[in-house]
Amino acid sequence: MTEFTHFNEEGRAKMVDVSDKPETVRTALAHSSIAVSKEIYEKVTNNEMKKGDVLAVAQVAAVMAAKKTWDIIPMCHPIPLTGVNITFIWEQANKDQYKLNISASVKTKGSTGVEMEALTAAAACALTVYDMCKAVDKGMVIGPTYLVEKTGGKNGDFQRTQSSNIIY
Protein backbone atom coordinates (compact mmCIF):
# COMPACT_ATOMS: atom_id res chain seq x y z
CA MET A 1 0.00 0.00 0.00
CA THR A 2 1.31 3.46 -0.91
CA GLU A 3 1.88 5.83 1.97
CA PHE A 4 0.61 9.33 1.26
CA THR A 5 3.21 11.55 2.90
CA HIS A 6 1.59 14.85 1.99
CA PHE A 7 -1.43 14.40 4.28
CA ASN A 8 -1.64 14.76 8.04
CA GLU A 9 -3.63 12.55 10.45
CA GLU A 10 -6.79 14.52 9.59
CA GLY A 11 -6.38 13.93 5.86
CA ARG A 12 -5.34 17.53 5.21
CA ALA A 13 -2.39 18.65 3.13
CA LYS A 14 0.90 19.21 4.92
CA MET A 15 4.43 20.18 4.04
CA VAL A 16 6.52 17.01 4.15
CA ASP A 17 9.26 16.76 6.78
CA VAL A 18 12.53 16.25 4.87
CA SER A 19 14.85 16.57 7.88
CA ASP A 20 15.79 12.86 7.79
CA LYS A 21 16.48 12.77 4.05
CA PRO A 22 20.14 12.82 3.03
CA GLU A 23 21.55 15.88 1.29
CA THR A 24 22.44 15.09 -2.30
CA VAL A 25 23.11 17.12 -5.41
CA ARG A 26 19.83 17.61 -7.23
CA THR A 27 19.17 19.22 -10.59
CA ALA A 28 16.14 19.97 -12.72
CA LEU A 29 15.65 21.29 -16.22
CA ALA A 30 12.31 22.74 -17.29
CA HIS A 31 11.08 24.11 -20.60
CA SER A 32 8.54 26.72 -21.54
CA SER A 33 7.90 28.77 -24.64
CA ILE A 34 6.06 31.79 -25.89
CA ALA A 35 4.79 32.28 -29.43
CA VAL A 36 5.00 35.87 -30.63
CA SER A 37 4.32 37.86 -33.77
CA LYS A 38 7.05 38.76 -36.25
CA GLU A 39 6.79 42.38 -35.04
CA ILE A 40 7.51 41.38 -31.43
CA TYR A 41 10.34 39.06 -32.50
CA GLU A 42 11.98 41.88 -34.46
CA LYS A 43 11.55 44.42 -31.65
CA VAL A 44 12.92 42.02 -29.02
CA THR A 45 15.90 40.87 -31.08
CA ASN A 46 16.74 44.46 -32.07
CA ASN A 47 16.27 45.67 -28.47
CA GLU A 48 13.54 48.11 -29.53
CA MET A 49 10.88 47.36 -26.91
CA LYS A 50 9.89 50.43 -24.90
CA LYS A 51 10.16 48.58 -21.57
CA GLY A 52 13.81 47.67 -22.23
CA ASP A 53 15.85 44.53 -22.91
CA VAL A 54 13.12 41.89 -22.78
CA LEU A 55 15.34 38.82 -22.50
CA ALA A 56 17.60 40.35 -19.85
CA VAL A 57 14.61 41.30 -17.69
CA ALA A 58 12.94 37.91 -18.27
CA GLN A 59 16.15 36.12 -17.29
CA VAL A 60 16.38 38.05 -14.01
CA ALA A 61 12.67 37.40 -13.35
CA ALA A 62 13.23 33.68 -13.87
CA VAL A 63 16.14 33.57 -11.41
CA MET A 64 14.10 35.53 -8.86
CA ALA A 65 11.13 33.18 -9.35
CA ALA A 66 13.29 30.10 -8.79
CA LYS A 67 14.61 31.61 -5.55
CA LYS A 68 11.09 32.48 -4.33
CA THR A 69 9.19 29.37 -5.43
CA TRP A 70 8.47 28.48 -1.81
CA ASP A 71 6.69 31.83 -1.45
CA ILE A 72 4.07 31.05 -4.10
CA ILE A 73 3.73 27.25 -4.19
CA PRO A 74 2.25 26.34 -0.79
CA MET A 75 3.94 22.99 -0.01
CA CYS A 76 7.40 23.82 -1.41
CA HIS A 77 10.33 24.02 0.96
CA PRO A 78 12.67 27.01 1.02
CA ILE A 79 15.72 25.59 -0.74
CA PRO A 80 19.24 27.04 -0.89
CA LEU A 81 19.84 27.04 -4.63
CA THR A 82 23.42 26.63 -5.80
CA GLY A 83 22.75 27.56 -9.41
CA VAL A 84 20.10 28.84 -11.79
CA ASN A 85 20.64 29.26 -15.53
CA ILE A 86 18.17 30.44 -18.15
CA THR A 87 18.77 30.02 -21.88
CA PHE A 88 16.79 31.12 -24.92
CA ILE A 89 16.47 29.77 -28.46
CA TRP A 90 14.35 31.49 -31.09
CA GLU A 91 12.62 29.42 -33.73
CA GLN A 92 10.56 30.59 -36.68
CA ALA A 93 7.17 28.86 -36.67
CA ASN A 94 5.99 30.40 -39.96
CA LYS A 95 6.51 33.65 -41.87
CA ASP A 96 4.49 35.66 -39.33
CA GLN A 97 5.17 33.89 -36.05
CA TYR A 98 8.19 33.06 -33.92
CA LYS A 99 8.60 30.94 -30.81
CA LEU A 100 10.96 31.70 -27.96
CA ASN A 101 12.05 28.45 -26.32
CA ILE A 102 13.05 28.88 -22.68
CA SER A 103 15.17 26.44 -20.67
CA ALA A 104 15.52 26.82 -16.90
CA SER A 105 18.20 24.79 -15.17
CA VAL A 106 18.29 24.72 -11.36
CA LYS A 107 20.70 23.02 -8.96
CA THR A 108 20.96 22.49 -5.21
CA LYS A 109 22.65 20.31 -2.65
CA GLY A 110 19.84 19.49 -0.30
CA SER A 111 17.17 17.17 1.04
CA THR A 112 14.50 17.83 -1.59
CA GLY A 113 14.42 18.36 -5.33
CA VAL A 114 14.27 21.48 -7.45
CA GLU A 115 11.69 20.52 -10.07
CA MET A 116 9.21 23.15 -8.89
CA GLU A 117 11.92 25.83 -8.89
CA ALA A 118 12.85 25.03 -12.50
CA LEU A 119 9.20 24.96 -13.61
CA THR A 120 8.44 28.21 -11.80
CA ALA A 121 11.49 29.88 -13.35
CA ALA A 122 10.50 28.80 -16.87
CA ALA A 123 6.90 29.94 -16.42
CA ALA A 124 7.85 33.28 -14.85
CA CYS A 125 10.29 33.89 -17.68
CA ALA A 126 7.57 33.41 -20.30
CA LEU A 127 5.13 35.55 -18.30
CA THR A 128 7.71 38.34 -18.11
CA VAL A 129 8.20 38.27 -21.87
CA TYR A 130 4.42 38.56 -22.23
CA ASP A 131 4.27 41.46 -19.79
CA MET A 132 7.03 43.36 -21.55
CA CYS A 133 5.54 42.83 -25.02
CA LYS A 134 1.78 43.02 -24.45
CA ALA A 135 1.58 46.67 -25.55
CA VAL A 136 2.55 45.54 -29.06
CA ASP A 137 0.34 42.43 -29.25
CA LYS A 138 -1.74 40.63 -26.62
CA GLY A 139 -2.15 37.55 -28.83
CA MET A 140 1.00 35.79 -27.58
CA VAL A 141 0.63 32.18 -26.45
CA ILE A 142 2.59 30.69 -23.55
CA GLY A 143 3.41 27.02 -23.21
CA PRO A 144 3.62 24.21 -22.90
CA THR A 145 5.66 24.30 -19.71
CA TYR A 146 7.08 20.97 -18.56
CA LEU A 147 9.89 19.16 -16.74
CA VAL A 148 12.56 17.93 -19.15
CA GLU A 149 14.73 16.07 -16.64
CA LYS A 150 15.71 15.85 -13.00
CA THR A 151 18.53 14.13 -11.13
CA GLY A 152 19.07 13.08 -7.53
CA GLY A 153 16.81 12.12 -4.69
CA LYS A 154 15.05 9.00 -3.47
CA ASN A 155 12.97 8.57 -6.62
CA GLY A 156 16.02 8.72 -8.87
CA ASP A 157 16.49 10.41 -12.18
CA PHE A 158 13.80 11.38 -14.68
CA GLN A 159 14.28 12.02 -18.39
CA ARG A 160 11.33 13.04 -20.57
CA THR A 161 11.02 10.90 -23.68
CA GLN A 162 9.80 12.07 -27.06
CA SER A 163 6.65 9.96 -26.62
CA SER A 164 5.59 11.80 -23.46
CA ASN A 165 2.10 13.28 -23.39
CA ILE A 166 2.81 16.89 -24.31
CA ILE A 167 0.22 18.62 -26.44
CA TYR A 168 1.69 21.38 -28.61
Side-chain angles (χ1 to χ4, degrees):
M1 185 166 125
T2 303
E3 180 184 343
F4 294 105
T5 59
H6 289 73
F7 295 98
N8 67 15
E9 306 78 36
E10 298 169 345
R12 298 187 183 277
K14 72 172 186 176
M15 187 168 149
V16 175
D17 181 356
V18 296
S19 58
D20 291 334
K21 291 173 71 176
E23 282 194 356
T24 60
V25 173
R26 298 158 187 263
T27 66
L29 175 65
H31 171 88
S32 192
S33 62
I34 183 166
V36 303
S37 66
K38 182 177 182 180
E39 180 183 9
I40 288 176
Y41 166 76
E42 289 174 351
K43 286 181 180 288
V44 170
T45 57
N46 293 319
N47 201 19
E48 296 172 350
M49 293 300 290
K50 290 183 180 182
K51 287 189 174 183
D53 185 335
V54 173
L55 299 186
V57 174
Q59 189 163 13
V60 171
V63 172
M64 291 173 65
K67 292 166 49 175
K68 291 295 202 167
T69 298
W70 63 276
D71 271 341
I72 59 174
I73 307 295
M75 300 304 168
C76 284
H77 295 82
I79 298 175
L81 302 180
T82 58
V84 178
N85 188 36
I86 309 301
T87 59
F88 302 105
I89 298 175
W90 282 105
E91 130 185 17
Q92 187 169 5
N94 59 48
K95 70 181 184 84
D96 297 321
Q97 192 174 48
Y98 289 77
K99 183 166 89 170
L100 178 62
N101 292 295
I102 301 161
S103 292
S105 175
V106 180
K107 187 174 183 180
T108 191
K109 182 175 182 184
S111 301
T112 190
V114 288
E115 297 97 297
M116 293 308 300
E117 287 72 13
L119 287 161
T120 302
C125 189
L127 288 166
T128 302
V129 171
Y130 187 98
D131 178 55
M132 293 191 69
C133 299
K134 69 183 185 257
V136 174
D137 178 14
K138 291 175 180 47
M140 295 169 280
V141 176
I142 294 174
T145 301
Y146 56 90
L147 182 67
V148 176
E149 64 184 32
K150 75 105 177 160
T151 65
K154 180 177 79 170
N155 295 325
D157 297 349
F158 167 82
Q159 178 75 47
R160 181 166 301 281
T161 61
Q162 292 291 59
S163 62
S164 295
N165 297 338
I166 299 175
I167 300 170
Y168 295 93

